[in-house]
Coordinates of all heavy atoms in Angstrom, one line a residue:
V173 N -2.2 -6.0 -0.5 CA -2.6 -7.0 0.4 C -1.7 -6.8 1.7 O -0.5 -6.8 1.6 CB -2.4 -8.4 -0.2 CG1 -2.8 -9.5 0.8 CG2 -3.2 -8.5 -1.5
R174 N -2.3 -6.7 2.8 CA -1.6 -6.6 4.1 C -1.7 -7.9 4.8 O -2.7 -8.5 5.0 CB -2.2 -5.4 4.9 CG -2.2 -4.1 4.2 CD -2.8 -3.0 5.1 NE -2.8 -1.7 4.4 CZ -1.8 -0.9 4.4 NH1 -0.7 -1.1 5.1 NH2 -1.9 0.3 3.7
I175 N -0.5 -8.3 5.2 CA -0.4 -9.6 6.0 C 0.4 -9.3 7.3 O 1.2 -8.4 7.3 CB 0.2 -10.7 5.2 CG1 1.7 -10.4 4.7 CG2 -0.6 -11.0 4.0 CD1 2.4 -11.5 4.0
A176 N 0.2 -10.2 8.3 CA 0.9 -10.0 9.5 C 1.4 -11.4 10.0 O 1.5 -11.6 11.2 CB 0.1 -9.3 10.6
D177 N 1.6 -12.3 9.1 CA 2.0 -13.7 9.5 C 2.8 -14.3 8.3 O 3.2 -13.6 7.4 CB 0.8 -14.6 9.9 CG -0.3 -14.6 8.8 OD1 0.1 -14.4 7.6 OD2 -1.5 -14.8 9.1
D178 N 3.0 -15.6 8.4 CA 3.9 -16.2 7.4 C 3.1 -16.8 6.2 O 3.5 -17.7 5.5 CB 4.7 -17.3 8.0 CG 5.8 -16.8 8.9 OD1 6.2 -15.6 8.7 OD2 6.3 -17.5 9.8
R179 N 1.9 -16.3 6.0 CA 1.1 -16.8 4.9 C 1.8 -16.5 3.6 O 2.5 -15.5 3.4 CB -0.3 -16.2 4.9 CG -0.3 -14.7 4.7 CD -1.7 -14.1 4.8 NE -2.3 -14.0 3.4 CZ -3.4 -13.3 3.1 NH1 -4.0 -12.6 4.1 NH2 -3.8 -13.3 1.9
T180 N 1.5 -17.4 2.6 CA 2.1 -17.1 1.3 C 1.1 -16.9 0.2 O 1.4 -16.4 -0.9 CB 3.0 -18.3 0.8 OG1 2.2 -19.5 0.9 CG2 4.2 -18.5 1.8
D181 N -0.2 -17.3 0.5 CA -1.2 -16.9 -0.5 C -1.5 -15.4 -0.4 O -1.7 -14.9 0.7 CB -2.5 -17.7 -0.3 CG -3.1 -17.5 1.1 OD1 -2.3 -17.8 2.1 OD2 -4.2 -17.1 1.3
V182 N -1.6 -14.8 -1.6 CA -1.7 -13.3 -1.6 C -3.1 -12.9 -2.0 O -3.9 -12.3 -1.2 CB -0.7 -12.7 -2.5 CG1 -0.9 -11.2 -2.7 CG2 0.7 -13.0 -2.0
V183 N -3.5 -13.2 -3.2 CA -4.8 -12.8 -3.7 C -5.2 -13.6 -4.9 O -4.3 -14.0 -5.7 CB -4.8 -11.3 -4.1 CG1 -3.9 -11.0 -5.3 CG2 -6.2 -10.7 -4.3
L184 N -6.5 -13.8 -5.1 CA -7.0 -14.4 -6.3 C -7.5 -13.4 -7.3 O -8.4 -12.6 -7.0 CB -8.2 -15.4 -6.0 CG -8.8 -16.1 -7.2 CD1 -7.8 -17.0 -7.9 CD2 -10.1 -16.9 -6.7
L185 N -6.9 -13.3 -8.5 CA -7.3 -12.4 -9.5 C -8.3 -13.1 -10.5 O -8.1 -14.3 -10.8 CB -6.0 -11.9 -10.3 CG -5.0 -11.2 -9.6 CD1 -3.8 -10.8 -10.5 CD2 -5.5 -9.9 -8.9
T186 N -9.2 -12.3 -11.0 CA -10.2 -12.9 -11.9 C -10.3 -12.0 -13.1 O -9.9 -10.8 -13.1 CB -11.6 -12.9 -11.2 OG1 -12.0 -11.6 -10.8 CG2 -11.6 -13.8 -10.0
A187 N -10.8 -12.5 -14.3 CA -10.9 -11.8 -15.5 C -12.3 -12.1 -16.1 O -12.9 -13.1 -15.8 CB -9.8 -12.2 -16.5
D188 N -12.7 -11.2 -17.0 CA -14.0 -11.3 -17.6 C -14.0 -12.2 -18.8 O -15.0 -12.4 -19.6 CB -14.6 -10.0 -18.0 CG -13.8 -9.2 -19.0 OD1 -12.6 -9.6 -19.2 OD2 -14.3 -8.3 -19.6
E189 N -12.9 -12.8 -19.1 CA -12.7 -13.8 -20.2 C -11.6 -14.7 -19.9 O -10.9 -14.6 -18.9 CB -12.5 -13.0 -21.6 CG -11.2 -12.2 -21.5 CD -11.0 -11.4 -22.9 OE1 -11.1 -12.1 -23.9 OE2 -10.8 -10.2 -22.8

Side-chain angles (χ1 to χ4, degrees):
V173 183
R174 299 179 183 275
I175 61 175
D177 53 28
D178 287 339
R179 62 181 270 194
T180 56
D181 58 303
V182 175
V183 66
L184 178 64
L185 299 178
T186 59
D188 63 344
E189 58 181 309

